[in-house]
Amino acid sequence: QSALTQPASVSGSPGQSITISCTGTNSDVGRYNLVSWYQHHPGKAPKFIIYEGSKRPSGVSNRFSGSKSGNTASLTISGLQAEDEADYYCCSYAGSSTLYVFGTGTKVTVL
Amino acid sequence: QLQLQESGPGLVKPSETLSLTCSVSGASISSISYYWGWIRQPPGKGLEWIGSIYSNGSTYYKSSLKSRVTISVDTSKNQLSLRLSSVTAADTAIYYCARHTMGAVAPWGQGTLVTVSS
């Protein structure tokens, strides 16, 4: 099971919007509506910010939004803020034997 | 509030077995319909799911690690365990435990760094 493909880095200025893509296959992202996204500040526990492709857990800013088209899921951060600078990972359910596959990770830089 | 805390040796010799424990507080590890899993992050690399155990005791492992991994729970201590045998330098990583469903992994422990070196 290969990792989902994400861009290595994405950057933007404060207030701008950025989008991170997450490309899988029809065995994971394309097959299940079970993509989640995680924000990871180094040295801290990853924090989940999107589940089931587009749902936000309680307490997560509505500046984070998720979507999916075919085998590619996307995370959009609008109104970029300095605190959004972190690594972001997608993750997809991949069936009853493999269970999970993570993305390669994207470093978001706020210019 | 559910909290998870990993513990175990920070240094393991090559070819030996890595053993970690995850102590769970704020909820029962026997909770129905949840998975409890291990995820790792090698230095400078991304997250990698290692494996999980479901509330009914079924275990699921990443195929490339399956021959070396054992995940179990001790319900009397409310703990999750990971054993990874025949370790090499490639197993050096921060190891996280977490509770998850099919749709999301949360919460996570803070992680513990394990270095494989002689």
Side-chain angles (χ1 to χ4, degrees):
Chain A
Q1 190 77 29
S2 299
L4 308 177
T5 301
Q6 297 180 232
S9 62
V10 174
S11 61
S13 299
Q16 285 187 330
S17 293
I18 60 170
T19 296
I20 302 168
S21 61
C22 167
T23 301
T25 69
N26 53 19
S27 296
D28 38 63
V29 175
R31 183 168 185 176
Y32 303 99
N33 195 28
L34 291 170
V35 173
S36 51
W37 287 89
Y38 302 85
Q39 179 190 61
H40 189 202
H41 289 103
K44 294 191 175 182
K47 172 187 175 184
F48 103 104
I49 55 175
I50 295 287
Y51 67 104
E52 293 179 10
S54 60
K55 298 178 181 178
R56 274 188 311 275
S58 172
V60 172
S61 171
N62 59 8
R63 298 185 299 104
F64 295 94
S65 61
S67 63
K68 191 187 89 166
S69 177
N71 294 339
T72 299
S74 299
L75 173 72
T76 297
I77 308 174
S78 57
L80 201 60
Q81 298 179 1
E83 67 210 46
D84 299 331
E85 191 161 288
D87 298 320
Y88 290 82
Y89 293 90
C90 61
C91 178
S92 177
Y93 181 73
S96 59
S97 58
T98 301
L99 271 202
Y100 275 122
V101 60
F102 278 95
T104 49
T106 298
K107 182 175 181 60
V108 168
T109 301
V110 181
L111 301 172
Chain B
Q1 181 183 357
L2 176 61
Q3 293 185 315
L4 299 90
Q5 180 66 58
E6 305 87 350
S7 61
L11 181 64
V12 181
K13 289 183 169 56
S15 80
E16 295 189 343
T17 296
L18 178 161
S19 295
L20 296 176
T21 298
C22 174
S23 297
V24 177
S25 60
S28 170
I29 203 165
S30 302
S31 300
I32 293 174
S33 300
Y34 283 109
Y35 298 84
W36 301 87
W38 290 93
I39 297 140
R40 69 182 182 180
Q41 183 178 31
K45 296 187 178 181
L47 299 171
E48 177 187 28
W49 175 73
I50 298 170
S52 302
I53 185 166
Y54 190 53
S55 52
N56 66 1
S58 297
T59 51
Y60 306 84
Y61 302 125
K62 182 173 182 176
S63 56
S64 60
L65 298 172
K66 194 170 186 176
S67 63
R68 300 194 291 129
V69 176
T70 303
I71 292 175
S72 60
V73 297
D74 184 333
T75 55
S76 66
K77 295 181 179 179
N78 219 36
Q79 290 179 336
L80 173 71
S81 295
L82 169 71
R83 287 175 58 85
L84 181 65
S85 65
S86 304
V87 297
T88 69
D91 296 309
T92 293
I94 297 173
Y95 285 77
Y96 298 94
C97 60
R99 187 183 74 172
H100 66 91
T101 62
M102 286 197 298
V105 182
W108 300 58
Q110 289 295 315
T112 187
L113 175 63
V114 179
T115 301
V116 178
S117 174
S118 55

